[in-house]
Amino acid sequence: MLTALAGLSILIIGDSHLTSPSHLIAPLHEALVQQGAQVHTVGVCGSHPTDWLEAKPGTCGGAERIGNGQITLQGNAAATRPIQQLIAQDKANLVMIVMGDTLAAYDKPAFPKAWAWQQVSGLAKAIGATGTQCVWVGPGWGSEGGKYGKTFDRVKFMSSFLAHNVAPCSYIDTLSFAKPGEWGTVDGQHFTQSGYRAWSDAIVKALPTTEAAQAAKR
Amino acid sequence: MNTWRLGALGILAALAAPAMGASIALYPTGPAQDAAFLRFVNTTGQTLTLRAQGSQATTTLDASVSATGFQAVAADQRIQGTLQTPTGELPLSLTVAPGEFASVVATPGPTDSATVLHVLREQPEDFNAMRASLALAVADPACTQASLSVAGRDVNIFQDVAAGTVARREINPVRLTVQARCAGQAVGDPLDLGELTAGGRYTVFLAPSPGGGTTRLFANDQASH
């Protein structure tokens, strides 16, 4: 069956939502492979966007998966890699970035706008400069409180900030896929396995409709 | 039969296992405070050399009217250094608040041989990769009621901007030529800003010119990583 993503080389990078076998590195990676894409997923827990312009050690683990291969958990060896290098090695047609919760400063009274702008624009522009299409997946509602102090107000602000600042990447607004608190979490921020499956299903459905995915196929 | 039972138990165990994710170590979801940025602008017409306190490294500010890019600095921490001018050293000491973008503008002083430093500060809110952002920064104390309009048209982009302040707004990413004025009087010829790009951030500075009067400088506000 021909699908909109068949034949594409898709590179997925991001934060802790990609670093555990029960997170997106399972359902999302597998779903895109089933659609005929070549998929490479690299997640580094706690990473920020401009960390992906260099090789920077992670602080809380990481994971990697290539095609139909197993998930490799990297523990203390986890590190980001320069996005330009990853794109070139994979000959990626499309980069998917899963990041937002590590920018939101949930436990701080003020949102760090200048820092967030530097982070988001830095990575988005670097990807754009390679001529590679990109799509940025924003954070989900999670649950309020939890060990990261997540609030619905702040995640809504974070998502809006990303929507306005990820260009030239397309933006997938995760908040539109569910009601606040609808997907269960284990800690307020990381979803249960069923929550990640629901998120993955929604991303896979939305991806072909994005300008970035359509341009990548042309 | 035993194998069948173990297999069934295995399936039941899997079905009964809670569908929980692995525990992720706590990590910060952002910095302790917002970033701060600093740049230097030179309208003296002379080469200046900047040295941070305690460092041998220097930065040269060219004699041509120029601006450096914004560099991230530690917020709320005193930044000290010296600016070497042809007539001597000027001390530099300032702090930049979280979320603030500060421009240190070196301009000719009243006697032309002296150099005066003006610090212009802003805390922008208009980050938007789909629009351009343009500011008018007035570093000339003699430039009152500063304004910036679209050249050749009666369309004001900024008006009545006070000396020592920065005004900023979002605009469409288009090719733009502007006319700066102080108290209604034109400052130089129309200034071609070129094609402003979506996500681009820019500033037109008005500063004292060597030999008197006011000069204008167009700067790109991008921050380095």
Side-chain angles (χ1 to χ4, degrees):
Chain A
M1 181 184 78
L2 281 179
T3 71
L5 305 176
L8 285 183
S9 169
I10 301 177
L11 169 66
I12 308 175
I13 63 168
D15 55 27
S16 57
H17 291 300
L18 300 176
T19 62
S20 166
S22 57
H23 295 189
L24 289 175
I25 198 169
L28 178 62
H29 183 107
E30 288 160 16
L32 295 177
V33 167
Q34 277 165 20
Q35 295 220 1
Q38 297 163 53
V39 186
H40 179 190
T41 301
V42 189
V44 176
C45 172
S47 60
H48 301 124
T50 62
D51 292 346
W52 293 90
L53 302 181
E54 55 179 322
K56 188 166 179 187
T59 57
C60 46
E64 185 170 15
R65 193 174 192 186
I66 298 174
N68 281 315
Q70 297 297 305
I71 298 167
T72 305
L73 297 180
Q74 293 162 332
N76 292 333
T80 59
R81 272 167 266 170
I83 189 65
Q84 299 90 339
Q85 193 182 95
L86 284 167
I87 289 171
Q89 282 169 356
D90 288 2
K91 294 188 175 57
N93 306 113
L94 180 67
V95 177
M96 179 185 290
I97 304 133
V98 181
M99 259 188 278
D101 282 324
T102 57
L103 294 164
Y106 291 120
D107 58 340
K108 304 294 183 302
F111 178 74
K113 272 204 190 104
W115 176 81
W117 162 74
Q118 184 193 31
Q119 286 288 329
V120 173
S121 63
L123 179 57
K125 282 182 181 159
I127 296 173
T130 68
T132 312
Q133 297 297 325
C134 53
V135 59
W136 197 303
V137 179
W141 290 109
S143 316
E144 290 201 305
K147 68 184 186 186
Y148 299 94
K150 194 161 188 174
T151 66
F152 293 152
D153 277 350
R154 182 57 62 86
V155 74
K156 197 170 162 187
F157 189 95
M158 183 74 249
S159 187
S160 175
F161 186 91
L162 288 171
H164 284 89
N165 283 281
V166 299
C169 301
S170 299
Y171 185 60
I172 288 181
D173 180 5
T174 299
L175 298 184
S176 68
F177 298 148
K179 298 192 201 58
E182 182 179 337
W183 297 341
T185 72
V186 298
D187 58 11
Q189 188 158 293
H190 300 97
F191 299 107
T192 59
Q193 204 164 14
S194 61
Y196 276 114
R197 272 201 295 273
W199 191 8
S200 169
D201 289 346
I203 293 171
V204 170
K205 192 173 169 188
L207 182 60
T209 70
T210 63
E211 202 174 306
Q214 290 168 7
K217 277 295 281 186
R218 286 198 281 267
Chain B
M1 194 152 155
N2 284 342
T3 304
W4 179 86
R5 278 187 188 153
L6 280 171
L9 282 172
I11 290 166
L12 286 171
L15 286 172
M20 303 290 279
S23 173
I24 298 285
L26 184 64
Y27 55 79
T29 59
Q33 56 185 359
D34 203 355
F37 296 93
L38 177 64
R39 70 168 159 197
F40 294 89
V41 183
N42 179 11
T43 67
T44 63
Q46 298 172 318
T47 298
L48 306 174
T49 305
L50 179 69
R51 187 194 304 272
Q53 187 178 57
S55 169
Q56 294 303 309
T58 59
T59 299
T60 300
L61 306 178
D62 289 334
S64 59
V65 176
S66 62
T68 68
F70 276 112
Q71 294 277 338
V73 296
D76 280 345
Q77 288 188 31
R78 187 148 293 277
I79 298 160
Q80 292 182 292
T82 55
L83 197 63
Q84 184 68 50
T85 77
T87 54
E89 268 190 3
L90 272 182
L92 178 70
S93 178
L94 76 159
T95 56
V96 188
E100 193 169 59
F101 289 72
S103 299
V104 176
V105 186
T107 74
T111 60
D112 236 15
S113 58
T115 300
V116 177
L117 300 182
H118 306 268
V119 182
L120 299 182
R121 302 172 184 273
E122 57 169 329
Q123 296 218 344
E125 302 266 325
D126 66 334
F127 300 105
N128 188 336
M130 296 178 282
R131 302 256 279 162
S133 171
L134 179 64
L136 178 63
V138 185
D140 188 348
C143 178
T144 58
Q145 295 171 283
S147 68
L148 198 70
S149 59
V150 177
R153 294 179 59 192
D154 190 20
V155 174
N156 273 326
I157 303 169
F158 300 105
Q159 49 188 346
D160 291 325
V161 179
T165 68
V166 182
R168 181 176 291 278
R169 60 176 287 184
E170 283 184 9
I171 60 173
N172 287 324
V174 294
R175 184 171 188 91
L176 190 61
T177 302
V178 296
Q179 178 64 61
R181 289 184 171 81
C182 297
Q185 299 302 306
V187 176
D189 292 332
L191 181 63
D192 182 5
L193 307 187
E195 188 82 31
L196 304 184
T197 60
R201 303 180 67 78
Y202 311 93
T203 299
V204 172
F205 282 93
L206 298 180
S209 176
T214 303
T215 190
R216 69 268 191 285
L217 159 70
F218 178 50
N220 191 308
D221 299 342
Q222 292 308 304
S224 57
H225 300 283

